[in-house]
């Protein structure tokens, strides 16, 4: 009965998404909308993104190529992480069905097709844009690492489907299939507010007091970490700022160490795991092998290690790893002392590419934006939450919009999302007020909506799948020019005037920007009178928008603006 209740809770959540967002999937009937909103909820849960942001990853529709949603993140060291989703929603909540074998087989064929640039297939516009971006990156030398998430409100696929996966990718480390079901989605909806548990230390550990704070440093068996991950999952990592997306060199080295007979050296090869808790206790009269009681446990550094250990031992249950240990640091930090948690997390993660949104959420500038946006009638969301309404501005969307428009870096906004609250944080948020942020988001969202429409001009259609970040930048600059102000003079005092002008002129502003960008691309591709943009391969077009050329030659070139704004 528990599973059925879980399904009912998810069904209720889907209904709320539908009610809060009547403009989602407007052309579909009620049942189809429900299936797509389940997909949206699942993507949001798996990627840990706001509903509004997850909406941009949806590709579902006719000729979708075998995937319903896609997330692409340009990784380091020449690797690109791609997460694809296939979703199946069973309307009968009392039925327990497996993920369909034919859908798994279709997903296997999808991977074989879209990650080989020599293959071309007929796709809808959203899917075609994704595939062109993937194949463009591959042609530029990036190696794809693929996670295919099979999302449903039932059970995992059966043995025949698993055999299909194994036959296709059994010896292929670039591809993995993952089931994400009812309990996974429910776990995201009902996140535990506090994790109270225990951790078995191995051998002698050290407990010290520093500056009125306590810390334990010692080693634990990696099986202890796997036990915690199995019991609590990603809720342990909510304050952890590192994402686990497919494979990378760090994850591979962790797995290879265990599988190559070097498990006894794991302690020396790994940087360890950092934990914080509200309170810890242990038997101080015991010399070693402490059982540490932990209240409010969170892992703030070492999330990659934890997830990779769980995956490696799940896939290789017979590995001999009794001699494998990992260094653990446990800090006892007051529950309301966010600053020290932030500083510890920064210090232990600064050398790696991270997602710092939640940690930055308590910065003064983020709080100021929240308060000021509320005064202007908008809800700015500093932290990730389960809000299902689009009448909000998540900080991630704000960062993309500002970096694209006022900082004139649309190529970075599109392809460097993971660095917006890291390396680009000051560039985006320094000297930013709520009026500037909100106007940027309004422009950005409108240009994204235009991207999904079909133009009568075939050349503009050829650009639209890839150009919305660039178009939004051009529209923002033209808007300020028309009003004879610069971005520093856009404040709460003239916010209504600026917004009203944009609302009245947005069609003509976008039309102007598209014509200008069309001219730029014709020159960029050296097209003569006998060729048009519609003849340019989509992968080539995607690559053009990923590179710096157009930005440097036009968007950051004052001479170009002087000529084209006159």
């Amino acid at each position: 009965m528990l599973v059925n209740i879980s399904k009912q809770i998810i069904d209720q959540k889907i209904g709320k998404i539908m009610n809060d967002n009547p403009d989602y999937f407007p052309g579909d009937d009620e049942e189809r909308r429900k299936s797509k909103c389940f997909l949206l909820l699942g993507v949001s849960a798996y990627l840990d993104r706001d509903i509004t942001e997850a909406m941009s990853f949806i590709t579902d529709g006719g000729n979708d190529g075998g995937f319903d949603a896609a997330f692409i993140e340009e990784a380091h060291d020449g690797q690109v992480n791609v997460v694809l989703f296939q979703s199946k929603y069973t309307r009968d909540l009392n039925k327990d069905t497996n993920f369909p074998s034919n859908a798994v087989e279709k997903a296997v064929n999808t991977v074989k097709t879209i990650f080989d640039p020599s293959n071309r297939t007929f796709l809808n516009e959203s899917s075609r844009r994704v595939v062109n971006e993937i194949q463009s990156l591959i042609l530029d030398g990036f190696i794809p690492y693929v996670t295919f998430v099979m999302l449903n409100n039932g059970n995992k696929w059966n043995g025949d489907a698993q055999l299909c996966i194994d036959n296709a990718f059994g010896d292929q480390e670039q591809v993995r299939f993952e089931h994400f079901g009812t309990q996974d989605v429910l776990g995201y909806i009902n996140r535990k507010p506090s994790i109270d548990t225990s951790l078995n230390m191995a051998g002698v550990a050290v407990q010290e007091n520093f500056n009125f704070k306590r810390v334990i440093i010692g080693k634990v068996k990696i099986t202890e970490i796997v036990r915690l991950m199995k019991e609590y999952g990603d809720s342990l990592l909510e304050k952890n700022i590192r994402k686990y997306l497919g494979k990378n060199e760090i994850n591979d080295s962790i797995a290879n160490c265990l599988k190559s007979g070097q498990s006894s050296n794991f302690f020396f090869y790994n940087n360890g795991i950092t934990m914080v808790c509200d309170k810890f206790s242990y038997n101080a009269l015991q010399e070693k092998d402490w059982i540490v009681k932990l209240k409010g446990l969170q892992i703030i550094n070492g999330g990659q290690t934890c997830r990779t250990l769980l995956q490696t031992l799940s896939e290789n249950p017979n590995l001999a790893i009794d001699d494998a240990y990992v260094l653990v640091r446990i800090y006892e930090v007051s529950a309301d002392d966010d600053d020290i948690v932030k500083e510890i997390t920064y210090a232990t993660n600064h050398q790696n590419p991270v997602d710092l949104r939640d940690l930055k959420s308590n910065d003064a500038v983020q709080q100021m934006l929240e308060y000021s946006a509320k005064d202007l009638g908008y809800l700015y969301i500093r932290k990730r939450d389960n809000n299902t309404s689009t009448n909000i501005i998540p900080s991630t969307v704000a960062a993309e919009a500002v970096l694209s428009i006022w900082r004139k870096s649309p190529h970075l906004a599109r392809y460097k999302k993971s660095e917006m609250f890291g390396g680009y944080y000051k560039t985006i948020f320094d000297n930013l007020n709520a009026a500037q942020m909100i106007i940027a988001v309004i422009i950005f969202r409108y240009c994204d909506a235009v991207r999904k429409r079909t133009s009568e001009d075939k050349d503009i259609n050829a650009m639209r799948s890839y150009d919305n970040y660039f178009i939004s930048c051009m529209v923002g600059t033209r808007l300020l020019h028309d009003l004879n102000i610069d971005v520093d003079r856009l404040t709460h005092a003239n916010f209504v005037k600026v917004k009203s002008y944009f609302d009245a002129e947005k069609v003509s502003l976008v039309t102007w920007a598209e014509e200008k960008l069309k001219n730029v691309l014709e020159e960029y591709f050296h097209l003569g009178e006998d060729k048009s943009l519609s003849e340019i391969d989509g992968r080539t077009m995607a690559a053009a928008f990923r590179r710096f050329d157009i930005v440097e030659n036009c968007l950051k070139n004052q001479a170009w603006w002087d000529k084209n704004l006159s």
Side-chain angles (χ1 to χ4, degrees), residues 169-441:
F169 306 114
D171 59 349
Q172 175 56 264
E173 293 188 349
Q174 284 178 241
V175 181
R176 70 185 179 106
F177 279 68
E178 185 172 336
H179 178 248
F180 200 72
T182 302
Q183 295 305 317
D184 299 304
V185 177
L186 188 65
Y188 176 76
I189 295 173
N190 300 323
R191 297 185 182 189
K192 296 179 181 179
S194 177
I195 294 175
D196 301 335
T197 186
S198 62
L199 186 67
N200 295 321
M201 308 299 291
V204 177
V206 176
Q207 192 271 306
E208 293 281 1
N209 297 336
F210 294 104
N211 195 25
F212 305 104
K213 296 176 178 64
R214 301 200 300 160
V215 60
I216 290 177
I217 301 176
K219 68 178 186 290
V220 303
K221 287 193 170 188
I222 65 171
T223 50
E224 271 290 279
I225 302 301
V226 172
R227 176 184 65 80
L228 289 176
M229 289 298 294
K230 284 182 176 179
E231 185 172 355
Y232 298 104
D234 283 353
S235 58
L236 271 172
L237 313 177
E238 284 184 16
K239 289 182 181 177
N240 188 340
I241 56 181
R242 183 169 307 138
K243 292 287 184 184
Y244 179 94
L245 287 173
K247 296 178 180 289
N248 59 39
E249 286 189 356
I250 298 172
N251 300 337
D252 286 345
S253 65
I254 291 171
N256 290 338
C257 177
L258 298 178
K259 292 189 289 187
S260 63
Q262 301 183 64
S263 57
S264 61
N265 291 323
F266 187 85
F267 181 87
F268 303 101
Y269 295 163
N270 188 266
N271 287 333
I273 297 168
T274 304
M275 304 177 176
V276 295
C277 66
D278 301 335
K279 185 175 181 59
F280 64 66
S281 58
Y282 63 96
N283 179 13
L285 302 178
Q286 185 175 333
E287 180 183 359
K288 59 183 180 179
D289 298 331
W290 295 342
I291 299 176
V292 182
K293 304 291 185 182
L294 302 156
K295 294 183 69 67
L297 175 66
Q298 287 281 285
I299 294 172
I300 62 171
N301 178 264
Q304 279 191 109
T305 296
C306 296
R307 288 293 307 270
T308 304
L309 289 175
L310 176 62
Q311 180 186 337
T312 302
L313 296 188
S314 297
E315 294 175 351
N316 305 273
N318 297 321
L319 276 180
I321 41 81
D322 285 342
D323 57 351
Y325 298 86
V326 64
L327 175 68
V328 170
R329 310 171 195 85
I330 308 171
Y331 295 92
E332 183 182 278
V333 179
S334 172
D336 57 359
D337 195 350
D338 282 335
D339 287 343
I340 188 63
V341 174
K342 179 174 68 175
E343 293 305 321
I344 293 172
T345 313
Y346 284 172
T348 55
N349 281 282
H350 74 279
Q351 73 274 27
N352 295 299
V354 295
D355 177 0
L356 294 162
R357 176 189 177 183
D358 282 351
L359 294 172
K360 296 289 190 182
S361 64
N362 291 321
D363 284 3
V365 65
Q366 295 296 315
Q367 296 183 37
M368 180 275 293
L369 287 172
E370 180 183 33
Y371 301 145
S372 302
K374 188 174 182 180
D375 290 339
L376 294 173
Y378 291 82
L379 182 60
Y380 179 71
I381 303 297
R382 296 183 284 124
K383 296 184 179 182
R384 291 169 292 183
D385 66 6
N386 289 327
N387 197 314
T388 61
S389 174
T390 54
N391 190 29
I392 60 171
I393 299 176
S395 58
T396 48
V397 175
E400 283 187 73
V402 171
L403 187 57
S404 286
I405 298 169
W406 304 139
R407 309 313 184 221
K408 289 186 170 61
S409 299
H411 57 310
L412 299 179
R414 180 163 189 164
Y415 292 103
K416 298 292 183 181
K417 298 180 192 294
S418 63
E419 298 179 36
M420 289 191 198
F421 289 83
Y424 296 116
Y425 184 78
K426 287 185 174 294
T427 300
I428 295 168
F429 288 102
D430 275 7
N431 301 313
L432 179 71
N433 63 43
Q436 296 162 3
M437 180 269 292
I438 294 168
I439 293 296
V441 170

Side-chain angles (χ1 to χ4, degrees), residues 9 15 31 56 59 120 127 140 142 148 170 203 221 228 315 417 433 486 507:
I9 294 171
E31 290 301 321
S56 65
T59 60
R120 305 292 283 166
S127 296
D140 277 354
F142 286 87
F148 212 129
K221 287 193 170 188
L228 289 176
E315 294 175 351
K417 298 180 192 294
N433 63 43
D486 57 34
V507 175

Side-chain angles (χ1 to χ4, degrees), residues 443-454:
I443 295 171
F444 187 76
R445 284 178 167 169
Y446 178 72
C447 291
D448 188 55
V450 170
R451 172 182 64 83
K452 301 170 185 175
R453 303 172 189 168
T454 301

